[in-house]
Amino acid sequence: MSTKKQVQGSEFSLRQLIGPLMAVILGMMMVILDSTVVNVALPRLVEDFSSSVTTMQWTITGYTLALSAVIPLAGWMTDRFGAKRIFLLTIILFTLGSALCSLAASPAQLILYRIIQGIGGGMVAPIGMAIVFRLAPRDKIGSIMGMLGIPMLLAPALGPVLSGWLVEYATWHWIFLINVPLGAIAILVSIKYLPAFETKSVPSLDILGILLAPVAFSMLAYGVSEGGTSWTSASTLTGLSIGGVALVLFIIVELRQKQPLLELRVFRSSDFTRGIVIAWLMQIALFGVMVLIPLFYQTVKGYGPLKTGLVMLPQALASGLVMPIGGKLFDKVGARPLAITGLSIITFCMFMLSRMTPDTSLLYIMGFLGLMGAGMGLTMMPVNTHVLQSAPKQLVSRVTPLTTAAQQVMVSFAVAGLTGYLTSQMKVHAESGGNPLQAAASAYGDTFLVAAGIAALGALLALILRKPKAVPGESEEGASQAQASMMTGH
């Protein structure tokens, strides 16, 4: 291919990659920002739509479930139709979804438009990273791929602040509308600078898997959400039953497919299973709390959206600062001590946050949020790397779509389950009488305590992590090809 020869030839210069890098970074920045902006805006959405937290949390849950549904399709779609064409299509769909979100007139409309956003956004990061990986020369791959870490570190920190400023000084519509000019720029830059990649012959698409996965995960998330109020209600039992049956059918279908949507055979590795279960527990605890903290600030402490966004900064900054340290320590000591330490820190911080009252000082909350971010940074990369290393080598290139999609599913379960539990506890404490603010703070305390228990379970499971055994004879080129294919989900 002419593009490949060009970038791998002696004439390569970084200038050739600036255009494609800009297109990919713009696309990733938009998608990652939108994973955090709604957290701070949630109380205002509840108020403006005269709705409830349990209903409006589906603007987050629906988005993450849509992301998880399309992530595994990234590899197949790029091979079948070409990376540039699909990358453009996803940016266009995400931008269109953003514009629709800004025009939503009811909770149902906003949830539906967020799902459209998620369908567009799910493939942006894996396809974008694969494009840059294919364009960059091997001797510069580390530094160039490191540039893609910029949006991954900046977006979670900027998202709550930007959202808070827009909600407080403009209107919540702008947290979505701002993506329209950004999306237009990303589309124009992509058309001009992204090279056309060749298409490849592809296996038949796993249609049954595509249909069963969203039904299974969305119904289970719905059941978990309703279970926060009552585990014996008709809606809870219906959601869990339909989701459970669909999940069993999905597992059977995937295990019988030669080219499954998600490669479930990897769970035969006990090391992989231990690692991914710990990752799931950490994600459930952390991402559920990341939704609850802005709610607490605005409903109990009475802060405005901008102040809420600013006081969320320590967590994101500490996580970004400690993450490279966690990566370096992993090379020396492995995942187990880091996972135990990091999850223990997270457990302790969540326990301390469970003791918050309406009068708790800002310094107390921000301090433990920052420490929790450090625990997250220490744990996230080592556990994810351990999961990849412990997968059977013949399946390693198919692990990333599984782990990435599963992470979004776990986030949706966390948000649905913990907000449902929070709502039920608010009713319990409200019925007992007393100060309404204190009753609300007690409900948040109960919910943080549940999150602390989930993180503690992850820390205990980390005790049985072991270093994956290296398989001799794997070539560097083979590992490099596996890394390239992992970007798109092959």
Side-chain angles (χ1 to χ4, degrees):
M1 188 178 84
S2 59
T3 305
K4 210 165 189 177
K5 287 177 184 174
Q6 181 186 13
V7 296
Q8 288 181 347
S10 57
E11 296 180 6
F12 173 82
S13 69
L14 184 60
R15 190 177 299 173
Q16 293 171 254
L17 263 182
I18 289 175
L21 265 175
M22 281 299 298
V24 172
I25 286 174
L26 274 170
M28 287 175 65
M29 194 87 172
M30 284 196 307
V31 175
I32 299 171
L33 271 173
D34 257 61
S35 297
T36 57
V37 291
V38 177
N39 296 0
V40 171
L42 199 58
R44 185 62 58 86
L45 292 172
V46 171
E47 183 184 328
D48 281 11
F49 284 110
S50 300
S51 187
S52 65
V53 172
T54 47
T55 298
M56 295 313 299
Q57 61 85 14
W58 280 95
T59 57
I60 301 169
T61 302
Y63 179 77
T64 53
L65 285 173
L67 289 176
S68 70
V70 297
I71 286 168
L73 296 175
W76 190 92
M77 295 280 282
T78 50
D79 281 352
R80 175 69 179 81
F81 300 105
K84 178 176 181 177
R85 190 177 299 170
I86 299 302
F87 187 77
L88 272 168
L89 180 66
T90 58
I91 295 291
I92 290 167
L93 194 57
F94 183 84
T95 307
L96 174 65
S98 299
L100 289 171
C101 284
S102 71
L103 300 172
S106 70
Q109 284 184 9
L110 184 56
I111 292 164
L112 174 63
Y113 299 152
R114 282 282 284 170
I115 290 169
I116 293 171
Q117 254 196 325
I119 291 170
M123 285 193 264
V124 169
I127 295 174
M129 289 173 74
I131 287 172
V132 175
F133 188 91
R134 289 170 71 177
L135 290 176
R138 290 286 170 263
D139 60 335
K140 302 232 188 302
I141 193 68
S143 57
I144 290 169
M145 292 302 285
M147 292 173 74
L148 289 183
I150 295 169
M152 294 179 185
L153 290 176
L154 280 180
L158 292 177
V161 179
L162 177 65
S163 172
W165 188 83
L166 289 171
V167 170
E168 190 158 331
Y169 293 105
T171 167
W172 64 262
H173 302 81
W174 274 98
I175 67 175
F176 303 113
L177 205 54
I178 197 170
N179 287 331
V180 176
L182 287 175
I185 295 168
I187 290 163
L188 292 173
V189 172
S190 300
I191 290 170
K192 183 170 175 61
Y193 292 108
L194 287 184
F197 293 96
E198 81 280 11
T199 57
K200 300 177 185 176
S201 59
V202 291
S204 58
L205 196 56
D206 178 11
I207 300 295
L208 266 178
I210 291 169
L211 294 174
L212 285 169
V215 173
F217 298 134
S218 60
M219 291 307 293
L220 284 172
Y222 174 72
V224 169
S225 173
E226 293 296 303
T229 306
S230 170
W231 288 104
T232 55
S233 68
S235 53
T236 300
L237 295 175
T238 301
L240 294 178
S241 300
I242 295 173
V245 170
L247 181 62
V248 171
L249 291 173
F250 175 71
I251 292 169
I252 293 168
V253 166
E254 296 306 280
L255 291 176
R256 295 181 66 175
Q257 280 274 358
K258 286 184 180 177
Q259 292 288 333
L261 184 70
L262 293 176
E263 184 52 85
L264 301 183
R265 295 177 187 88
V266 76
F267 282 99
R268 291 172 183 165
S269 162
S270 62
D271 288 331
F272 174 87
T273 305
R274 292 173 198 175
I276 200 166
V277 168
I278 291 166
W280 288 348
L281 291 170
M282 176 175 61
Q283 286 152 5
I284 290 170
L286 281 170
F287 289 101
V289 167
M290 283 170 71
V291 173
L292 294 176
I293 285 287
L295 279 171
F296 177 86
Y297 276 136
Q298 293 178 66
T299 58
V300 176
K301 300 288 285 181
Y303 293 169
L306 177 58
K307 190 174 181 181
T308 299
L310 287 169
V311 296
M312 293 291 288
L313 265 177
Q315 184 181 4
L317 292 175
S319 177
L321 287 170
V322 175
M323 204 173 285
I325 299 169
K328 288 179 180 177
L329 288 173
F330 172 80
D331 293 333
K332 295 180 179 178
V333 299
R336 183 169 64 177
L338 296 174
I340 294 169
T341 305
L343 280 161
S344 297
I345 291 170
I346 292 166
T347 303
F348 171 69
C349 291
M350 286 182 177
F351 174 75
M352 297 306 290
L353 290 173
S354 75
R355 302 166 66 86
M356 292 188 300
T357 69
D359 302 319
T360 299
S361 72
L362 187 59
L363 195 62
Y364 178 96
I365 301 172
M366 289 177 71
F368 284 113
L369 276 180
L371 189 58
M372 189 164 72
M376 178 182 174
L378 196 65
T379 313
M380 190 77 74
M381 197 64 76
V383 170
N384 287 341
T385 308
H386 170 88
V387 167
L388 286 176
Q389 288 186 347
S390 58
K393 289 294 178 276
Q394 72 274 17
L395 298 177
V396 72
S397 64
R398 297 187 59 83
V399 168
T400 297
L402 170 66
T403 55
T404 311
Q407 175 178 330
Q408 299 300 337
V409 171
M410 290 303 142
V411 169
S412 68
F413 285 179
V415 174
L418 290 178
T419 52
Y421 182 72
L422 172 68
T423 303
S424 69
Q425 291 305 104
M426 280 189 166
K427 289 178 183 174
V428 169
H429 288 287
E431 287 167 2
S432 64
N435 185 335
L437 277 183
Q438 184 56 56
S442 299
Y444 279 99
D446 294 345
T447 313
F448 285 129
L449 211 50
V450 169
I454 294 168
L457 181 58
L460 287 173
L461 282 177
L463 292 169
I464 60 171
L465 272 183
R466 60 186 183 188
K467 198 167 187 176
K469 294 176 182 176
V471 178
E474 188 189 29
S475 69
E476 189 179 329
E477 187 179 347
S480 179
Q481 287 171 352
Q483 188 180 355
S485 62
M486 279 192 290
M487 299 297 179
T488 47
H490 277 299

